[in-house]
């Protein structure tokens, strides 16, 4: 059985810091990474205990922390369920390259491209970033498939910086699917929404020319973004317009997160960390779950010969 490749950033970046180099780790099951980390240094912990100190040593404390993180990974939704927005889910559109490769039993490469919320700022461990959560979900859905989710998030960036590294970070990898999270830092930095949309359209053209499926992810609904409602509204509208023009899918993260807050009456601190911008472990996990559900649905439709227009938005709750 082939395993899913989880891409683990060595260190979570600050919102405007350079992201760490990614390391690909192959695991047999999604939980194995956390479990292996917890079990590997067990001898060190025992040695520290047998040496006689009454208090736990550094190694033992670290192991307990890793075990607690592993437990949190498995029960995160048992405490707060991840529900689909009201109105149900619609397919993000056809993902023909991914579907064709999965149907043929060929390896599939997905590149998660974006800024700090792709890199995983705010998560408590690498396995809780949305790309790694997504990889684990796709592995469960396609247990015999060889699927890699590569994390190419870099904190503090938006369209200008992303376009500068698009070739090296994305296209040169020859992905089958690109999930492009963009627009949040454009809002925070007061960038011209029209300029951002133009650059995103240029990037979409290059990605499509490389033969990859594409899904855009718009800004998050959070206090920091909501403080600039006019800019956020313009960015979201223009991203949707570009997606419709270029026939690519959109995952409306802003509306999904607004549904958490307004429709499900969840406080912001239930899914956003103290900076008022980045998601916490639950937020990343639910985002990845809903995104993965739509990828699986889109692939299934293509396999069944159902041609869903790519400009149909996913999870349109409003």
């Amino acid at each position: 059985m082939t395993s899913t490749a989880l891409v683990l950033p060595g260190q979570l970046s600050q919102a405007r810091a350079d992201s760490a180099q990614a390391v690909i780790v192959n695991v047999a099951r999604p939980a194995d990474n956390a479990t292996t980390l917890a079990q590997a240094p067990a001898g060190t912990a025992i040695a520290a205990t047998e040496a006689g100190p009454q208090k736990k040593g550094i190694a033992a404390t670290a192991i307990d922390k890793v075990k607690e993180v592993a437990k949190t990974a498995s029960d995160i939704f048992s405490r707060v369920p991840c529900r689909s927005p009201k109105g149900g889910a619609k397919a993000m559109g056809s993902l023909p390259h991914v579907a064709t490769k999965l149907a043929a039993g060929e390896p599939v490469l997905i590149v998660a491209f974006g800024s700090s919320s792709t890199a995983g700022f705010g998560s408590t461990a690498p396995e809780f970033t949305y790309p790694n959560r997504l990889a684990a979900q796709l592995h469960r859905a396609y247990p015999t498939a060889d699927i890699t989710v590569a994390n190419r998030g870099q904190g503090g960036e938006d369209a200008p910086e992303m376009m500068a590294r698009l070739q090296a970070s994305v296209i040169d990898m020859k992905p089958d699917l690109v999930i492009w999270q963009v627009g949040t830092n454009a809002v925070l930095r007061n960038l011209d929404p029209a300029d951002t949309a133009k650059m995103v359209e240029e990037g979409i053209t290059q990605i499509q020319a490389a033969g990859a499926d594409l899904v855009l992810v718009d800004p998050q609904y959070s206090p920091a973004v909501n403080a600039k409602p006019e800019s956020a509204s313009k960015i979201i509208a223009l991203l949707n317009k570009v997606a419709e023009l270029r026939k690519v899918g959109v995952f409306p993260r802003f509306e999904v997160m607004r549904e958490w807050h307004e429709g499900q009456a969840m406080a912001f601190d239930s899914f956003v960390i103290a900076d008022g911008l980045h998601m916490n472990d639950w937020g990343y996990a639910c985002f990845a779950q809903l995104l993965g559900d739509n990828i699986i649905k889109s692939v299934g439709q293509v396999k069944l010969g159902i041609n869903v227009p790519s400009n149909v938005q996913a999870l349109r709750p409003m």
Side-chain angles (χ1 to χ4, degrees), residues 36-58:
T36 302
L37 287 173
Q39 292 175 345
T44 305
I46 293 170
T49 302
E50 290 176 346
Q54 295 298 314
K55 293 183 179 181
K56 289 185 178 181
I58 295 175

Side-chain angles (χ1 to χ4, degrees), residues 4 35 42 99 130 134 138 140 150 181 215 217 231 242 250 254 283 298 309:
T4 303
T35 303
Y130 106 72
L134 178 62
L138 294 178
R140 292 191 297 270
Q181 166 259 311
V215 173
V217 176
S231 180
V242 169
V250 176
F254 187 88
S298 297

Side-chain angles (χ1 to χ4, degrees), residues 7 29 39 47 143 266 281 290:
V7 181
R29 292 180 298 278
Q39 292 175 345
M266 293 177 62
D281 287 341
L290 298 175

Side-chain angles (χ1 to χ4, degrees), residues 21-41:
Q21 293 295 320
V23 179
I24 296 179
V25 178
N26 290 309
V27 297
R29 292 180 298 278
D32 280 0
N33 182 54
T35 303
T36 302
L37 287 173
Q39 292 175 345

Side-chain angles (χ1 to χ4, degrees), residues 11-181:
Q11 179 181 354
L12 297 179
S13 60
Q14 296 294 326
R16 291 185 175 274
D18 291 339
S19 66
Q21 293 295 320
V23 179
I24 296 179
V25 178
N26 290 309
V27 297
R29 292 180 298 278
D32 280 0
N33 182 54
T35 303
T36 302
L37 287 173
Q39 292 175 345
T44 305
I46 293 170
T49 302
E50 290 176 346
Q54 295 298 314
K55 293 183 179 181
K56 289 185 178 181
I58 295 175
T61 302
I63 291 167
D64 287 345
K65 177 64 176 176
V66 172
K67 288 180 178 179
E68 183 62 30
V69 167
K71 180 181 178 182
T72 303
S74 64
D75 71 0
I76 194 166
F77 291 147
S78 67
R79 290 175 284 113
V80 181
C82 177
R83 298 188 178 96
S84 295
K86 294 175 182 177
K90 295 183 179 179
M92 289 184 296
S94 297
L95 300 175
H97 302 285
V98 173
T100 299
K101 284 202 166 185
L102 283 174
E106 298 177 6
V108 170
L109 172 62
I110 299 172
V111 172
F113 187 45
S115 57
S116 55
S117 62
T118 297
F121 186 83
S123 61
T124 59
E127 60 266 35
F128 298 160
T129 65
Y130 106 72
N132 284 346
R133 285 284 194 177
L134 178 62
Q137 181 184 0
L138 294 178
H139 176 82
R140 292 191 297 270
Y142 309 106
T144 63
D146 182 2
I147 302 173
T148 299
V149 177
N151 190 333
R152 291 297 179 267
Q154 189 152 314
E157 291 192 346
D158 213 271
E161 297 84 5
M162 293 179 197
M163 285 299 295
R165 66 185 179 94
L166 178 65
Q167 184 70 42
S169 295
V170 179
I171 294 175
D172 286 350
M173 296 187 70
K174 303 185 186 305
D176 302 294
L177 170 63
V178 178
I179 303 170
W180 189 0
Q181 166 259 311

